[in-house]
Amino acid sequence: MAIGSLILFVISTVLLGTVGLPLVWIALWGLSFGGAATLLQTALGQRVTNDALDIVMSLNATVWNVSIALAGALGGLLVQAGGAILLPWVTAVAAGLALLVVIRYLH
């Protein structure tokens, strides 16, 4: 499920950068990525021992929060440097990397 969600997310960001109908692609983006935190947390929880569960879940929450902060800063710099047109492309690359990590470590 996490892999399908990330694939749909990458597709929606590429479409957002190339094809009209931005509201459709933004809706697809939201539908594909809305449950990502829960999906990835569940996948992590299924792959660790009960002894490591508290640590892994704490690290997961920390990584999510740091990622949100860094993405906001990076997004601001990208918009300032080249405009909003860069955002879908950088997002697609980052989501593609996340997809590779999920396939490698959580599948």
Side-chain angles (χ1 to χ4, degrees):
M1 190 80 148
I3 292 172
S5 176
L6 281 168
I7 289 171
L8 193 57
F9 183 69
V10 171
I11 290 169
S12 69
T13 58
V14 169
L15 290 172
L16 185 60
T18 59
V19 181
L21 304 171
L23 292 178
V24 172
W25 308 133
I26 290 169
L28 183 61
W29 179 347
L31 289 172
S32 67
F33 203 68
T38 304
L39 289 171
L40 295 174
Q41 184 175 4
T42 301
L44 283 169
Q46 291 172 344
R47 282 157 182 80
V48 298
T49 64
N50 284 340
D51 294 337
L53 192 59
D54 289 341
I55 293 168
V56 169
M57 291 301 121
S58 297
L59 287 171
N60 182 50
T62 301
V63 168
W64 272 100
N65 287 312
V66 169
S67 297
I68 290 167
L70 290 176
L74 178 61
L77 292 172
L78 284 171
V79 168
Q80 185 178 22
I85 193 64
L86 294 176
L87 293 176
W89 300 111
V90 174
T91 302
V93 170
L97 292 172
L99 177 61
L100 293 175
V101 170
V102 168
I103 289 170
R104 170 67 174 100
Y105 295 104
L106 298 178
H107 181 62

